[in-house]
Amino acid sequence: MFLWGTATAAYQIEGAAQEDDRGASIWDTFAHEPGRTRDGHTGDVACDHYHRWREDVALMSGLGVNAYRFSIAWPRVQPLGTGALNPQGLDFYDRLVDALCEQGIQPVPTLFHWDLPQPLEDRGGWLNREISEMFAEYAAIVADRLADRVPLWITLNEPFVHMAFGYAMGIHAPGQALLTGALPSAHHQLLAHGLATQALRAAGARQVAITNNCTPVWPASQEEPDLKAADAYDVLHNRLFNDPVLIGEYPDLSAYTPALDFLRDGDLQIISTPIDALGINYYNPTRITAPAAEGLPFEDAGITGHPTTAFGWPVVPDGLRELLTGLKARYATALPPIYITENGCSQHDVVTADGRIEDQARIAYLEGHIAAMRRAMAEGVDVRGYFVWSLLDNFEWAEGYHQRFGLVHVDFETQRRTPKASYAWLKEFLEAQKTDT
Ligand code: FCB
């Protein structure tokens, strides 16, 4: 069965940051530091999903999706990140999983969507190799409780973005700006993925995947310096996270580091523990040019000539086809089945006087990207599911509540949920899929 779903993440929707013995995460710390997020927004309350989850499950059931990708907050399950369990945290996800199953919605949990327990950050965060083992311990705890009802697990969400924004540039938690010094955070996340894959299987997990954020890389010209820069960017954004997992080796990282000091014997074997599927988050291609100054071996040249989202991201639906067919060409039989675990857009949604949200641009975005995915499938790429980011408008990290990605509008003053026109469109689309098959 093809999975059609929506996706969310714990810190972006749950709120209840201090309830039921939840521990603090790096995002609690970061969002409360002055100047880190737009208008000082935090996820303290977010969509209050921790209290309103029944209503949110009902919204999904009304939409007609058969899957839901959500994330589990590690600090709810283990407030210190290691050792003692918090039964109330596990109970919350247990109830959610039951409610989803009752509605015929398959639960697809992600174990890490950037909300590392703060006590682990105090021990070095992902720069500390030991965190990988702690992650596997946490994965086993969650699987012991939920594996009987979960068809597909995602270990990590977008280790590239966590490394680049969290450790290299300091735009996201934990707010470190180490540039290439951030590379060990990639390796330790990948190691954590491998160890967790093994722990999940030992605990009875059915299928395991990792979600990588991938982008087609477009050289700004066919001149040698631009081609070289584009290749270097492709290595950093895509291959650094796909190669070790799928083929058990790192790409040539010499443009970034003279030596892989963080790599130990046996690590790549762990990282390439076979997975059942690859999660892909796609938002846009990236156009790259040779750098004008010393420093990184590439520069983002920007993409013009396409519509843009409220975030300013170029809307290039065919980039999804290009990405998927490119993965197939690159990895051939080493490429497992793919789930599009996120795709969607922020728009300047307007609530009309009579309370409607006519988000036609979002409908066009989704329609275009689903069609592009289908073209890739017709070209032989094995895609098994598609998840819209996101079910609800939510806390968009450093942008706070300013970027709205939901199929459902959230009034953050009242927590009132209002399905947008895109929700009605998707509902009708999903109904048509049922009659087609
Ligand atoms: C992805 C994140 C997700 C959301 C979307 C817009 O990079 O995984 O949490 O912020 O972007």
Side-chain angles (χ1 to χ4, degrees), residues 353-364:
D354 58 349
R356 286 175 299 110
I357 300 103
E358 293 296 339
D359 56 340
Q360 297 304 325
R362 181 171 290 105
I363 295 174

Side-chain angles (χ1 to χ4, degrees), residues 8-9 12 69 113-114 157-158 161 172 211 213 281 283 311 313 342 344 389 394-397 405:
T8 63
Q12 295 181 272
R69 173 175 179 244
H113 201 125
W114 307 346
N157 178 68
E158 300 187 353
V161 176
H172 282 182
T211 280
N213 171 303
N281 290 355
Y283 288 95
F311 232 131
W313 298 351
E342 284 181 32
W389 184 272
N394 60 45
F395 174 78
E396 178 47 39
W397 309 114
F405 278 86

Side-chain angles (χ1 to χ4, degrees), residues 376-421:
M377 291 165 78
E379 289 181 43
V381 184
D382 184 0
V383 185
R384 306 266 174 105
Y386 175 91
F387 295 74
V388 177
W389 184 272
S390 179
L391 174 67
L392 304 167
D393 291 340
N394 60 45
F395 174 78
E396 178 47 39
W397 309 114
E399 289 289 309
Y401 297 97
H402 291 289
Q403 299 293 340
R404 293 180 175 270
F405 278 86
L407 296 165
V408 175
H409 178 272
V410 177
D411 177 331
F412 292 103
E413 298 292 317
T414 61
Q415 290 297 341
R416 196 184 147 156
R417 275 96 160 119
T418 309
K420 304 178 189 176

Side-chain angles (χ1 to χ4, degrees), residues 111 126 128-140 155-156 187-203 208 266-273 275:
L111 287 164
W126 288 113
N128 176 355
R129 185 182 167 95
E130 288 169 17
I131 305 299
S132 314
E133 276 153 35
M134 295 173 191
F135 181 69
E137 171 193 302
Y138 151 68
T155 54
L156 307 178
H187 183 66
H188 298 144
Q189 286 185 82
L190 288 165
L191 190 60
H193 155 76
L195 292 168
T197 301
Q198 297 176 354
L200 287 167
R201 289 208 202 292
V208 182
D267 283 2
L268 284 163
Q269 262 144 308
I270 296 170
I271 295 171
S272 60
T273 302
I275 48 175

Side-chain angles (χ1 to χ4, degrees), residues 118-204:
Q118 181 61 39
L120 300 190
E121 176 58 22
D122 299 339
R123 295 162 75 163
W126 288 113
L127 298 171
N128 176 355
R129 185 182 167 95
E130 288 169 17
I131 305 299
S132 314
E133 276 153 35
M134 295 173 191
F135 181 69
E137 171 193 302
Y138 151 68
I141 292 168
V142 179
D144 272 342
R145 185 72 178 263
L146 305 180
D148 57 336
R149 286 153 290 160
V150 164
L152 174 64
W153 294 84
I154 312 285
T155 54
L156 307 178
N157 178 68
E158 300 187 353
F160 167 74
V161 176
H162 195 49
M163 172 196 76
F165 283 30
Y167 288 86
M169 298 188 286
I171 300 168
H172 282 182
Q176 301 203 45
L178 306 171
L179 297 175
T180 53
L183 277 175
S185 74
H187 183 66
H188 298 144
Q189 286 185 82
L190 288 165
L191 190 60
H193 155 76
L195 292 168
T197 301
Q198 297 176 354
L200 287 167
R201 289 208 202 292

